[in-house]
């Protein structure tokens, strides 16, 4: 019984936190962008670019923190490109986002092959070039205590600092968005930009600021993917649709930080169970193909999010370029 509890409850919960961390950060990034009225389907490409920049810079410099700064720089640059196309030139936000996704998918492989000559991958990161796990005080000593011990020692302890940073950013994002003047203006720009403009606040400036915040959060997410998780290197297409799943979780959470985080937990938990089911013999069925198991969390996430989403109202001005009446 204890073995079942540990293998099928504790370990999946531990994996859930690791797997949902980049999703939580991307969902928060999408929330700032879309609350300001800018659809950011480019999250997938930005996440991939950040993972590559973080792994490459961390390998060259030997510092995971420099890798994170490089990732943030790359994603802010892509955010500004998205803003230049959609805010300044009022282009279609979906088209711009998809163009960035396609551009990054190809560029990361080409640069990876040119710089590291490992088929698009970056070298394995060692030592300070990756974020090591942090074991909480007494984590090993309390493991024998029923229920509480494994939760404290295995689920909560033993993660990289980026994971703890990600979950600390959830209440901070809520506070910024719903309890500060900046957040109030940001939400107003996404609901009624004309009224905000009439009040003397620059709609364009607020939307660019939202994209900067989006870039910072996506950069942290990408650096966790390649320098803070179980895989300490960049692998082509390692984002694997996480940017799109984060957007789905954001809609599920009705553009609010905490509900969006639980949507990310759902995908992380399903993916954790899918990993544990690989190679397991099921009575009367046998071993299920790995490809099918890998597909299950994505399908179930979409079905469950669609089923439980209920009535969700997007910001009124999201996806609509702002044009001043006098222009």
């Amino acid at each position: 019984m204890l073995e079942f509890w540990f293998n099928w409850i504790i370990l999946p919960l531990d994996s859930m936190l690791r797997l949902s961390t980049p999703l939580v950060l991307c969902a928060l990034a999408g929330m700032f962008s879309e609350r300001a009225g800018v659809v950011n389907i480019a999250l997938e490409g930005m996440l991939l670019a950040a993972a590559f920049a973080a792994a490459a810079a961390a390998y060259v410099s030997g510092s995971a923190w420099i890798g994170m700064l490089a990732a943030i720089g790359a994603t802010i640059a892509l955010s500004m490109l998205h803003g230049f196309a959609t805010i300044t030139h009022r282009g279609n936000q979906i088209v711009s986002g998809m163009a960035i996704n396609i551009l990054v998918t190809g560029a990361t492989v080409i640069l990876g092959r040119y710089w590291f000559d490992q088929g698009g991958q970056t070298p394995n990161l060692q030592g300070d070039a990756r974020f090591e796990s942090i074991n909480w005080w007494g984590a090993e000593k309390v493991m024998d205590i029923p229920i509480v011990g494994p939760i404290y020692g295995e689920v909560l302890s033993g993660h990289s600092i980026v994971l703890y940073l990600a979950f600390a950013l959830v209440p901070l994002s809520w506070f910024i968005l719903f309890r500060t003047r900046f957040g109030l203006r940001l939400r107003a720009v996404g609901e009624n930009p004309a009224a905000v403009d009439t009040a003397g606040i620059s709609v364009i400036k607020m939307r660019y600021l939202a994209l900067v915040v989006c870039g910072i959060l996506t950069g942290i997410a990408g650096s966790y993917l390649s320098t803070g998780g179980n895989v300490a290197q960049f692998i082509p297409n390692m984002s694997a649709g996480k940017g799109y799943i984060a957007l789905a979780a954001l809609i599920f959470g009705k553009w609010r930080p905490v509900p969006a985080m639980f949507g990310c937990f759902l995908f992380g938990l399903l993916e954790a169970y899918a990993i544990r089911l690989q190679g397991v013999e099921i009575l009367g069925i046998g071993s299920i193909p790995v490809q099918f198991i890998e597909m299950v969390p994505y399908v179930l996430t979409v079905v469950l999010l669609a089923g439980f989403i209920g009535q969700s109202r997007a910001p009124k001005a999201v996806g609509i370029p702002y044009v001043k009446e006098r222009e």
Side-chain angles (χ1 to χ4, degrees):
M1 185 63 186
L2 286 177
E3 185 179 357
F4 176 84
W5 157 261
F6 189 80
N7 289 336
W8 291 96
I9 303 295
I10 294 298
L11 291 182
L13 287 176
D14 177 55
S15 299
M16 178 194 75
L17 293 181
R18 298 177 192 273
L19 294 168
S20 59
T21 296
L23 298 176
V24 170
L25 288 165
C26 277
L28 294 177
M31 183 188 67
F32 277 98
S33 177
E34 298 203 355
R35 279 284 188 172
V38 181
V39 174
N40 202 341
I41 203 170
L43 285 177
E44 175 71 12
M46 291 167 63
L47 183 64
L48 192 64
F52 177 78
Y59 175 73
V60 173
S61 66
S63 168
W65 290 106
I66 292 179
M68 180 184 284
L69 288 177
I72 291 173
T75 46
I76 288 179
L78 289 173
S79 279
M80 293 301 97
L81 178 63
H82 187 52
F84 184 71
T86 61
I87 299 173
T88 303
H89 291 284
R90 300 161 194 159
N92 186 291
Q93 297 176 3
I94 301 297
V95 172
S96 172
M98 285 306 299
I100 290 174
N101 290 344
I102 294 169
L103 170 69
V104 171
T105 302
T108 50
V109 174
I110 292 171
L111 290 175
R113 286 177 177 170
Y114 182 72
W115 286 343
F116 303 105
D117 196 22
Q118 294 188 11
Q121 299 182 10
T122 60
N124 278 310
L125 301 174
Q126 304 291 336
D128 292 338
R130 61 181 299 181
F131 289 105
E132 297 292 347
S133 300
I134 300 173
N135 290 316
W136 288 13
W137 180 84
E140 294 182 359
K141 297 178 180 176
V142 302
M143 284 296 287
D144 293 333
I145 301 175
I147 301 178
V148 177
I151 291 175
Y152 178 81
E154 185 67 34
V155 178
L156 300 179
S157 174
H159 301 288
S160 77
I161 191 171
V162 186
L163 183 144
Y164 300 117
L165 174 64
F167 291 106
L169 285 172
V170 174
L172 180 62
S173 297
W174 175 85
F175 180 80
I176 292 173
L177 205 57
F178 295 101
R179 290 293 184 272
T180 65
R181 178 179 296 180
F182 172 75
L184 175 64
R185 290 178 175 180
L186 195 76
R187 288 184 288 127
V189 166
E191 295 289 342
N192 193 339
V196 174
D197 195 20
T198 303
I201 300 168
S202 171
V203 173
I204 292 175
K205 179 183 175 182
M206 289 304 301
R207 286 187 167 176
Y208 268 110
L209 286 175
L211 286 179
V212 170
V213 177
C214 175
I216 293 171
L217 292 169
T218 315
I220 298 172
S223 68
Y224 177 81
L225 211 57
S226 60
T227 65
N230 294 329
V231 180
Q233 68 176 142
F234 173 81
I235 299 172
N237 297 316
M238 70 185 303
S239 55
K242 288 182 172 58
Y244 301 120
I245 293 291
L247 282 175
L250 177 65
I251 297 170
F252 166 79
K254 300 179 181 178
W255 289 268
R256 291 177 176 273
V258 176
M261 180 186 69
F262 284 111
C264 297
F265 280 168
L266 173 65
F267 176 80
L269 189 62
L270 290 171
E271 192 173 5
Y273 275 114
I275 293 170
R276 294 202 66 77
L277 281 171
Q278 291 181 12
V280 174
E281 295 282 342
I282 297 179
L283 186 64
I285 299 177
S287 181
I288 301 175
V290 173
Q291 294 81 359
F292 179 80
I293 292 177
E294 289 178 343
M295 177 189 72
V296 169
Y298 292 90
V299 174
L300 283 180
T301 300
V302 172
V303 171
L304 291 173
L305 291 185
F308 288 99
I309 193 171
Q311 187 176 4
S312 181
R313 189 186 66 82
K316 289 181 180 176
V318 70
I320 303 173
Y322 178 64
V323 182
K324 284 189 175 183
E325 291 182 358
R326 62 176 179 269
E327 290 186 359

